[in-house]
Amino acid sequence: MRKTGGTRLQAGMLSLLGLVFALLLLLDVAYFIHGSLELFPTQEQQGKIKGIAALAGFGFALVELVILTLLRRLCARTHRTRNSAKASTPDGMTGLKTASLRPDSLPPPARGPTESH
């Protein structure tokens, strides 16, 4: 069974959200490392910025984990549905007839040209 349009849309949206939050997390790490954009920040300002950046980074990482978990469940559900559809056919194959797979139903092998001396 193929993915429905709704499932594809959900997977696409979750992937896009995951990408957005991954970029936000990278920007937050850069902000944590480089600190304030002021020319001469005080140690107190730097400490506040590091605390806020660490808290925001934790939040972004948590949201990223939730998004990845939801995406994994969605893909597993789709995969499980696809496998159950394959298992429901009598021969376990999708649309192939078993008679065409027997060796006696195949044509004889073609013989190449023979050399005459």
Side-chain angles (χ1 to χ4, degrees):
M1 183 174 222
R2 298 169 73 181
K3 284 186 181 181
T4 62
T7 306
R8 284 184 183 172
L9 182 64
Q10 287 174 348
M13 290 300 289
L14 284 174
S15 297
L16 184 63
L17 274 175
L19 182 63
V20 166
F21 276 96
L23 289 174
L24 285 173
L25 185 60
L26 287 175
L27 287 173
D28 186 64
V29 169
Y31 190 63
F32 181 81
I33 292 171
H34 293 293
S36 175
L37 298 177
E38 294 180 11
L39 291 177
F40 303 106
T42 64
Q43 289 296 329
E44 183 182 348
Q45 287 174 331
Q46 289 292 86
K48 287 178 186 179
I49 288 171
K50 286 192 185 258
I52 291 172
L55 186 62
F58 179 73
F60 291 148
L62 188 64
V63 171
E64 184 74 22
L65 285 174
V66 169
I67 290 170
L68 290 176
T69 302
L70 290 173
L71 188 59
R72 181 176 220 159
R73 282 186 181 179
L74 182 66
C75 290
R77 184 177 64 197
T78 304
H79 184 70
R80 191 170 42 245
T81 305
R82 193 177 315 143
N83 282 344
S84 67
K86 280 184 182 179
S88 66
T89 58
D91 59 356
M93 304 180 107
T94 55
L96 293 178
K97 295 182 180 181
T98 54
S100 64
L101 298 176
R102 289 187 301 196
D104 58 344
S105 66
L106 297 174
R111 301 202 180 204
T114 59
E115 293 181 29
S116 58
H117 292 317

